[in-house]
Amino acid sequence: MSKYFELIWSLTRYKAFPTNSTISLNTPYVVEIFYGEANYYNTGKCSLKLFKDGKHQDLQINGWTFSYMSQGEYHFRGSYDSVDAELDCCTPQQTYKKIKIGTCADWEMETFAELYLNNIFLLSNCQNEEEYQAIKNLERKFAVYGLHDLSCQIKGLAFVNDLIKRSQENENYNSNFTNYVQALLDNRLSEIKQYITNLKLK
């Protein structure tokens, strides 16, 4: 089963909306999503192809190159809903990478479409994979596994804070990117403060 979605910028993220064409009047980006038939375990293969301005083409942004294709697997079964795929890319340092993208929150076609372009949005505003992974850590649900883990998370906040400052020093920095990351940083800092407060109350 194949469906088309146009990806439109909405506040801090790209959102996917159904369409019947590979060309959109609202955005340069349209994706074709294919979900194969699910097996006995409610798992199936999925793939994505990007159309930019109506044509298949790799994306070149800020020194990064991203493949117009992505492949993966979806799974649906109650609380185990997920979609997992790989994003093929070449870094500004000319290193080829396969970046895993996925979520355990949903398995729908819209989810896959949004994961693809939103991860490209994050990566293309980073200098390397380390910066990208630091941001992805802030997107994950907050959890602490001991004091050492808490210390590592606090160091991660300092790293991301420095990343925001470096980005803003760039004359052509993307304010959508820094605003999104700043919101993630503020939210995680609030969660850590609450966690420490709860420890003191015990």
Side-chain angles (χ1 to χ4, degrees), residues 134-169:
I135 296 169
K136 296 300 289 183
N137 286 339
L138 296 184
E139 288 187 332
R140 296 186 181 99
K141 186 176 180 180
F142 176 63
V144 175
Y145 305 99
L147 292 179
H148 176 71
D149 180 52
L150 178 62
S151 175
C152 290
Q153 291 199 40
I154 293 172
K155 289 179 181 177
L157 295 185
F159 180 80
V160 173
N161 189 57
D162 289 342
L163 165 61
I164 294 171
K165 289 180 179 178
R166 290 197 305 272
S167 296
Q168 291 173 332
E169 289 170 358

Side-chain angles (χ1 to χ4, degrees), residues 46-62:
C46 56
S47 63
L48 174 151
K49 292 182 181 178
L50 171 74
F51 294 87
K52 184 183 179 190
D53 299 320
K55 298 178 181 178
H56 286 315
Q57 55 181 298
D58 295 341
L59 292 181
Q60 295 182 328
I61 310 172
N62 297 335

